[in-house]
Amino acid sequence: MYFSSMKFFNFIFLVFYCCIGFSQTDDPTIDTLIQKGNVFNYKNQDSALFYYKKSYETSLAKKDTFLIAATGYYYSFSLITSNRFEEAQPLINFNVSEAKNLPDVLIGNTYYNWGSIAYLQESYDIAIERFMIAEDYYKSAQNKRGLARSQLQLSVIYNKLGNPEMENYFADLSSTVLGSGAHSTPRMSTSEKIIALEQQLSATENISDKLKAILYHNLGVAQFDKSEWEAAITSFNKGLLLKEKVGFTNLKAEAKVYVAEAELYLGNSNKALQIVEDLPKDEKRKLPLRTELIFTEAYKALGNYKEALYHNEQLAFYQDSLNSIGENIKISEITAQYNTKEQKKQILAIQEENESAFLTINSQRKRQLVILLIAFLLLLTTLWFIRRWKSSEKQIALVKELKDEMEQKVEAQHLLLKSKSKIYLGDLQFVKSEGNYVEFHSVSKKTLEREKLKEILEKLPPNFIRVHRSYIVNKNEIDSYNSTTVFMKSGQEIPLSRTYKSNL
């Protein structure tokens, strides 16, 4: 079990519910009211309810759909925590009806609120459906916090229903999203996840088509991760048919791209091409890297190298377009520091050489020639310093020229991937293995590539080290670390395993 007592389960909803948040509305008046509500949310529910209600009424006067939905979310949240479910329901209904016009994260939060009502009323089947829909929207929004919260809530419900397989499945997903390794039981394998999802689908004949669609999507992802291509295609297609039936559009494009990739791995290049070609333009834009990669590999397999080259260039364009302006600034700074250190070393070496020469000559002096030798040494020293001074001017100019050349060379250092796209090493913070892909995380971008982590490590310079079976980090970007976690200067937390701890 992931938790130690049922009492904790009874109150976990309230703990996580207090953590719910949404981005600012960019309306100063409304934002101020929401912030006041957030402050009182931990102290006085009546005061929090007052400010949330005031923000909602202000939005109604402005007649702005987004503002009404955003403040309605907060107001409904406060009403639910006060057990005033009937008053919260119209606010939730409005957001659901306007789903196509609102951000995915806001709709995810709305379904989370709606699921919370069913949870508190102990209507667990309905709560499961709503939390899973919330999970789906959070995935579309790439909102890890909301995704982990909804998955953990699903784990709590399955515990109450006495279904340990699904309880552990969602608890494992939640901890994976948060990057937490704090498990009281071993993490589920991909095979165990597949079994849990198949059992859930076979044991829930009366669940809604929308919920079945989400379960089939999750099953397809698990089968895809295990390279069970045909099974994954079947699961994704079942989910897509159900989504088409109920008009549920979330993650449809992602599911189709998964199917296209699976067909590609099965050697069905024409099928893969047909799937991505049939995707509407707006859906292709959601997953440009993966679709262009499929085009490239499929045309290459079919021997159409002209089209393969074109799409490979498009893939490189999408990746390069994510580069930030000034991505080589850090490289230049490091180079300048390096050259400064080298100059100091050269000066110190010259000083040591001078002292050594002076001592050697003095040791050979003869008493009868002391005055002559001293005068001669002074003359030699003066001449030597004059010559060194003149040569130092040339040396400084030469060092500056070499420094400029080195900066240009270092700035140009990059890792050339199989797709011909470039990853600039000076901006690269860490590399993460994600299923069949490798994610390159730089200062302000993330690049997705079908590569193997081990092969990438062999191509990287020594300042890149492995700290986990799924992570490579740039030592220059590490701020600190403890026994389980590496803390990057950017604020990112990377898991550290005992196997690779010695690398630090």
Side-chain angles (χ1 to χ4, degrees):
M1 302 293 292
Y2 279 75
F3 306 97
S4 58
S5 70
M6 287 303 297
K7 185 176 181 181
F8 180 80
F9 281 112
N10 292 332
F11 291 98
I12 194 168
F13 162 74
L14 294 177
V15 172
F16 275 87
Y17 211 75
C18 292
C19 299
I20 294 175
F22 190 68
S23 60
Q24 291 184 329
T25 64
D26 292 328
D27 185 297
T29 303
I30 291 175
D31 284 340
T32 300
L33 291 169
I34 291 175
Q35 287 167 8
K36 288 182 179 180
N38 291 341
V39 170
F40 282 106
N41 187 50
Y42 297 93
K43 302 175 182 179
N44 187 310
Q45 275 296 314
D46 290 338
S47 296
L49 184 61
F50 170 80
Y51 284 110
Y52 289 142
K53 182 179 180 181
K54 190 70 175 176
S55 69
Y56 177 68
E57 291 173 343
T58 304
S59 297
L60 288 176
K62 293 178 178 289
K63 297 181 180 180
D64 184 289
T65 299
F66 171 74
L67 292 179
I68 294 171
T71 55
Y73 153 69
Y74 279 104
Y75 187 25
S76 65
F77 150 68
S78 189
L79 289 168
I80 292 169
T81 55
S82 302
N83 292 323
R84 295 163 63 175
F85 304 143
E86 291 184 2
E87 295 177 60
Q89 193 59 57
L91 305 174
I92 292 171
N93 292 344
F94 175 81
N95 285 15
V96 171
S97 67
E98 295 290 339
K100 293 182 178 180
N101 304 316
L102 299 172
D104 284 345
V105 66
L106 178 51
I107 300 304
N109 287 340
T110 299
Y111 271 99
Y112 189 97
N113 278 4
W114 204 5
S116 300
I117 293 175
Y119 172 82
L120 292 172
Q121 292 176 333
E122 299 185 358
S123 299
Y124 295 133
D125 288 345
I126 297 174
I128 287 172
E129 178 178 342
R130 292 170 183 171
F131 283 126
M132 282 194 175
I133 294 174
E135 180 192 29
D136 223 8
Y137 277 106
Y138 286 134
K139 285 178 182 177
S140 290
Q142 297 182 347
N143 186 293
K144 291 185 177 181
R145 184 182 177 193
L147 183 59
R149 186 175 66 246
S150 57
Q151 289 166 342
L152 186 56
Q153 192 62 39
L154 285 163
S155 177
V156 171
I157 295 174
Y158 277 111
N159 171 273
K160 288 180 175 289
L161 294 174
N163 187 335
E165 290 81 9
M166 293 301 291
E167 172 201 351
N168 290 346
Y169 169 74
F170 282 108
D172 180 70
L173 286 179
S174 177
S175 60
T176 301
V177 169
L178 293 175
S180 169
H183 301 287
S184 57
T185 58
R187 177 168 290 183
M188 293 182 75
S189 66
T190 304
S191 297
E192 289 171 331
K193 291 178 181 178
I194 291 173
I195 292 171
L197 287 164
E198 287 176 339
Q199 289 177 345
Q200 177 69 1
L201 280 163
S202 63
T204 52
E205 294 296 330
N206 297 323
I207 63 175
S208 70
D209 288 338
K210 186 179 288 187
L211 180 52
K212 284 183 181 178
I214 296 170
L215 288 171
Y216 273 122
H217 182 94
N218 291 345
L219 178 59
V221 172
Q223 291 166 332
F224 186 93
D225 289 341
K226 202 181 175 187
S227 301
E228 296 179 355
W229 311 125
E230 292 180 349
I233 290 171
T234 300
S235 296
F236 281 123
N237 283 335
K238 285 182 179 179
L240 286 168
L241 285 172
L242 289 169
K243 287 184 178 182
E244 193 69 32
K245 178 181 176 182
V246 298
F248 189 47
T249 59
N250 275 55
L251 300 181
K252 282 181 65 177
E254 181 177 335
K256 291 177 182 178
V257 170
Y258 267 118
V259 173
E261 286 189 73
E263 293 286 6
L264 189 63
Y265 299 141
L266 289 171
N268 303 324
S269 301
N270 283 317
K271 283 187 178 180
L273 280 176
Q274 189 62 51
I275 292 169
V276 289
E277 284 174 350
D278 288 344
L279 283 174
K281 288 184 179 180
D282 61 327
E283 292 187 358
K284 287 181 186 178
R285 283 196 290 267
K286 293 177 183 177
L287 301 161
L289 295 177
R290 291 177 65 184
T291 53
E292 291 300 333
L293 186 61
I294 292 170
F295 274 125
T296 301
E297 295 300 323
Y299 278 121
K300 192 188 300 181
L302 293 171
N304 190 339
Y305 297 106
K306 181 179 179 181
E307 285 295 327
L309 179 60
Y310 168 75
H311 287 286
N312 188 64
E313 290 174 348
Q314 289 294 106
L315 178 63
F317 168 77
Y318 284 122
Q319 290 175 327
D320 291 341
S321 67
L322 299 175
N323 291 339
S324 60
I325 301 172
E327 62 186 338
N328 296 317
I329 290 177
K330 288 191 176 181
I331 300 177
S332 300
E333 290 175 351
I334 292 170
T335 305
Q337 292 171 6
Y338 171 79
N339 286 326
T340 301
K341 290 178 181 178
E342 286 299 308
Q343 290 171 16
K344 289 180 179 178
K345 286 181 180 178
Q346 290 177 11
I347 293 170
L348 183 61
I350 291 171
Q351 291 174 343
E352 291 175 350
E353 182 183 343
N354 293 344
E355 290 173 6
S356 177
F358 182 78
L359 291 173
T360 301
I361 293 173
N362 272 321
S363 67
Q364 297 174 351
R365 287 176 183 171
K366 294 181 180 181
R367 290 185 179 182
Q368 65 271 28
L369 298 176
V370 171
I371 297 175
L372 181 60
L373 287 174
I374 291 175
F376 182 67
L377 287 172
L378 287 173
L379 178 60
L380 285 179
T381 303
T382 302
L383 292 173
W384 185 86
F385 274 107
I386 291 172
R387 186 178 64 180
R388 295 299 297 180
W389 178 76
K390 289 182 179 179
S391 64
S392 68
E393 293 290 327
K394 296 180 180 179
Q395 182 69 16
I396 290 171
L398 178 61
V399 169
K400 185 177 184 303
E401 183 180 348
L402 291 173
K403 174 176 175 285
D404 293 337
E405 290 179 1
M406 187 178 294
E407 285 183 356
Q408 293 174 3
K409 290 179 180 178
V410 173
E411 287 176 0
Q413 286 183 359
H414 61 266
L415 181 65
L416 186 63
L417 303 178
K418 291 179 181 179
S419 63
K420 306 301 181 185
S421 58
K422 299 176 182 178
I423 300 296
Y424 291 96
L425 301 182
D427 201 26
L428 183 59
Q429 296 178 323
F430 67 93
V431 184
K432 176 184 177 183
S433 176
E434 188 70 31
N436 295 311
Y437 292 89
V438 170
E439 295 177 358
F440 296 85
H441 291 256
S442 297
V443 173
S444 61
K445 73 163 190 174
K446 180 174 76 173
T447 301
L448 186 69
E449 185 74 11
R450 183 171 291 282
E451 294 270 3
K452 292 182 179 179
L453 197 66
K454 182 179 179 182
E455 294 176 357
I456 292 299
L457 182 61
E458 292 173 355
K459 299 177 184 178
L460 292 170
N463 59 302
F464 287 87
I465 58 173
R466 197 163 188 172
V467 296
H468 187 271
R469 64 186 179 86
S470 300
Y471 286 88
I472 297 170
V473 301
N474 185 345
K475 285 202 297 186
N476 298 331
E477 294 298 319
I478 295 176
D479 182 51
S480 62
Y481 67 92
N482 56 30
S483 60
T484 61
T485 307
V486 176
F487 301 92
M488 306 299 288
K489 292 178 182 178
S490 62
Q492 182 76 32
E493 295 182 8
I494 307 295
L496 173 63
S497 64
R498 286 186 294 180
T499 304
Y500 299 102
K501 189 174 181 182
S502 59
N503 291 343
L504 290 170

